[in-house]
């Protein structure tokens, strides 16, 4: 069980398995929605995600086709997205919203064509 929450802690959730298929997405929509250079999401079957508190504060934005991005309407934290045709029973979770430790086997970078021009400078002082 891995717990997660938004910035203001109004929304609290639990995932019942480790996040799978971890992806760092560099598309413009993820950059804008996260306000970050890229967004890292891991996916779980929808049945493995439990919203424990603040479900009513979860807002949805239809960003493209059948894709919905969900965020806390109080603090703006980007939390989930779902609606992929291929994986309609799955939901993706913004890994930075998780509060417990967990294992990430590997990270796949996608939509690299739109990566930010300063990305190479990011890791330099880590
Ligand atoms: Zn919040
Ligand atoms: Zn993206």
């Amino acid at each position: 069980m891995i717990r997660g929450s938004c910035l203001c802690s109004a929304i609290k959730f639990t995932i019942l398995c480790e996040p799978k298929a971890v992806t760092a997405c560099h598309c413009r929509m993820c950059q804008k929605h996260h306000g970050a250079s890229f967004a890292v999401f891991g996916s779980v079957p929808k049945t493995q995600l439990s919203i424990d508190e603040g479900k009513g504060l979860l807002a949805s934005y239809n960003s493209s086709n059948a894709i919905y991005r969900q965020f806390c309407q109080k603090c703006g934290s980007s939390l989930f997205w779902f609606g992929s045709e291929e994986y309609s029973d799955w939901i993706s979770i913004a890994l930075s919203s998780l509060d417990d430790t967990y294992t990430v086997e590997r990270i796949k970078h996608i939509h690299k064509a739109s990566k930010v021009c300063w990305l190479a400078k990011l890791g330099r002082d880590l």
Side-chain angles (χ1 to χ4, degrees), residues 4 6 10 13 20 36 55 65 75 84 95 108 111-113 123 125:
C6 63
F13 61 93
K20 298 174 173 70
K55 200 169 188 172
N65 303 321
C75 70
S84 141
L95 286 199
K108 186 180 177 192
H111 294 292
K112 289 187 272 190
D125 298 319

Side-chain angles (χ1 to χ4, degrees), residues 42-116:
S43 301
V44 301
K46 281 180 179 170
T47 54
Q48 301 299 295
L49 169 67
S50 155
I51 309 293
D52 306 318
E53 283 178 43
K55 200 169 188 172
L57 282 170
L58 205 52
S60 299
Y61 174 66
N62 182 202
S63 59
S64 63
N65 303 321
I67 305 290
Y68 283 86
R69 294 169 183 269
Q70 293 191 298
F71 55 96
C72 173
Q73 45 179 272
K74 202 168 153 194
C75 70
S77 296
S78 167
L79 297 172
F80 316 118
W81 74 265
F82 64 89
S84 141
E85 261 178 51
E86 208 178 338
Y87 300 101
S88 57
D89 295 338
W90 288 67
I91 188 159
S92 298
I93 292 114
L95 286 199
S96 301
S97 66
L98 297 177
D99 297 309
D100 294 324
T101 52
Y102 49 93
T103 312
V104 174
E105 295 292 333
R106 75 183 94 85
I107 300 175
K108 186 180 177 192
H109 288 267
I110 60 168
H111 294 292
K112 289 187 272 190
S114 49
K115 68 180 190 230
V116 294

Side-chain angles (χ1 to χ4, degrees), residues 26-41:
H26 298 258
C27 83
R28 290 296 290 145
M29 287 186 284
C30 283
Q31 288 168 349
K32 295 275 188 188
H33 196 236
H34 262 53
S37 49
F38 55 89
V40 183
F41 288 101

